[in-house]
Amino acid sequence: MSVMPEVPRLGVGAVILNEQGEILLVRRNREPEKDTWSIPGGKVDLYETMESCVVREIKEEVDLDVEVKGLLCTAELIEPEKGNHWVSALYEAAVTGGEPRNMEEGGAIGEVRWFSLDRLPGNLARFTVPAIAQLQKRSEKL
């Protein structure tokens, strides 16, 4: 028997690139998409703007101060059999302070790593795939 959410849930994610053009990914320890590599982010709280959620979630998860540069794309995860329906706004963000570190060890995040865009892990989270595709489309236009 499937568990149905009452309404879709709203999330955000952040594409963060370092000076070498590598993307920051976190390995998820929890569902949805446990054991996949994802851009960091999380759920939007009631009355919280999506951009302020990006800043908060990045600080909570990987201890970085970031500035939101703009909306990159959106993504959806619909799994009725698991009771999941997420809509996420995926933003580009620039680091303004800090060094990335796992703030949720033993929790939602198992590992934090930089990856070259041409050497990404095979088990990417579904929210990460459209963000990377959008980055690649943009670089092809340059």
Side-chain angles (χ1 to χ4, degrees):
M1 172 179 260
S2 65
V3 177
M4 298 300 292
E6 292 182 32
V7 295
R9 299 184 75 189
L10 180 60
V12 296
V15 170
I16 302 168
L17 300 175
N18 64 15
E19 292 175 1
Q20 293 76 37
E22 298 169 318
I23 188 169
L24 186 68
L25 298 179
V26 299
R27 189 177 45 77
R28 298 183 56 82
N29 269 351
R30 295 186 186 153
E31 294 295 343
E33 301 197 87
K34 185 176 190 265
D35 296 323
T36 62
W37 287 93
S38 177
I39 57 175
K43 72 178 182 71
V44 178
D45 291 336
L46 187 63
Y47 307 118
E48 180 179 37
T49 67
M50 291 186 292
E51 288 189 12
S52 64
C53 181
V54 169
V55 172
R56 176 183 58 79
E57 285 286 348
I58 300 311
K59 186 66 173 177
E60 289 176 0
E61 288 188 358
V62 296
D63 200 26
L64 289 175
D65 298 312
V66 296
E67 174 186 359
V68 175
K69 294 297 192 182
L71 182 66
L72 185 62
C73 62
T74 60
E76 293 182 283
L77 173 65
I78 300 174
E79 299 174 319
E81 69 283 359
K82 293 182 178 181
N84 287 324
H85 186 173
W86 285 91
V87 177
S88 285
L90 308 178
Y91 290 87
E92 284 185 274
V95 175
T96 59
E99 290 293 324
R101 63 187 181 109
N102 188 349
M103 298 298 289
E104 298 190 9
E105 284 191 41
I109 296 174
E111 193 177 348
V112 176
R113 285 187 40 202
W114 294 104
F115 288 92
S116 170
L117 290 171
D118 61 356
R119 301 193 102 193
L120 294 167
N123 55 334
L124 292 174
R126 282 186 252 178
F127 291 120
T128 303
V129 173
I132 290 171
Q134 194 66 27
L135 285 175
Q136 290 169 335
K137 276 185 198 175
R138 190 174 62 198
S139 68
E140 289 171 2
K141 290 179 182 178
L142 296 177

